[in-house]
Amino acid sequence: MVNEELRLIFEAEQKARKRIEEAQREATALLESARKEAEKIRERYEATTQLKIKKLLEECQKKAELDAKKLLDEAQQQKQKIIKEAKDRASDAVKLIFDVVLGRTHV
C-alpha cells in the first residue's frame, strides 16, 4: 500500500513536471510568436513612415519648384519692364542729344 501511494505520488510529480515543461514550451513559442509579430508591426510602421516622409518631401519639392517658377516669372516681367523703360528713355535721350546738337534746345 505504501508502495502504491509512493508510485501514485511519483506519477503525479512526473505529470506535473511534464505539464510545467509543456507550459514552458508554449510560453516560449508564444513569446517568439509575439516577438515576430512585433517585428512585423515595426517594419510596417517604418515602411509607412518612410512612404509618408517621401510623399511629404515630394510635395515640398513641388511647392518649392512652383514658388521658384513664380519668382522667376516675376523677375522676367520686371526685367522686361526695365528693358522697355530703358529703351523708351533711350529714344528720349537720343532726341534730346539731337536737339542740343542741332541747337533746338539749350542745356
Side-chain angles (χ1 to χ4, degrees), residues 74-96:
E74 290 173 4
Q76 276 297 110
Q77 290 174 358
Q78 288 293 326
K79 176 185 167 187
Q80 294 303 321
K81 183 179 175 182
I82 291 169
I83 289 172
K84 183 181 180 306
E85 288 176 5
K87 285 180 182 178
D88 291 346
R89 289 185 180 174
S91 312
D92 293 340
V94 168
K95 183 180 175 196
L96 179 63

Side-chain angles (χ1 to χ4, degrees), residues 5-71:
E5 289 175 359
L6 288 176
R7 187 183 60 76
L8 289 174
I9 292 171
F10 180 74
E11 287 177 3
E13 286 177 348
Q14 283 184 328
K15 286 180 183 179
R17 278 191 207 104
K18 285 182 182 179
R19 285 184 186 164
I20 290 171
E21 289 172 2
E22 190 176 308
Q24 286 174 337
R25 280 193 299 272
E26 286 179 23
T28 301
L30 285 172
L31 286 172
E32 181 63 19
S33 176
R35 187 195 63 75
K36 286 179 181 178
E37 187 62 29
E39 182 65 21
K40 287 178 186 176
I41 291 169
R42 185 190 62 78
E43 288 172 359
R44 281 194 303 262
Y45 177 77
E46 284 180 359
T48 301
T49 301
Q50 290 298 323
L51 284 174
K52 287 179 181 178
I53 290 170
K54 182 179 178 182
K55 184 177 178 181
L56 182 62
L57 286 174
E58 288 172 354
E59 289 173 2
C60 289
Q61 183 176 0
K62 286 178 185 177
K63 185 179 182 323
E65 287 171 358
L66 288 174
D67 290 346
K69 185 182 182 314
K70 182 179 176 184
L71 289 172

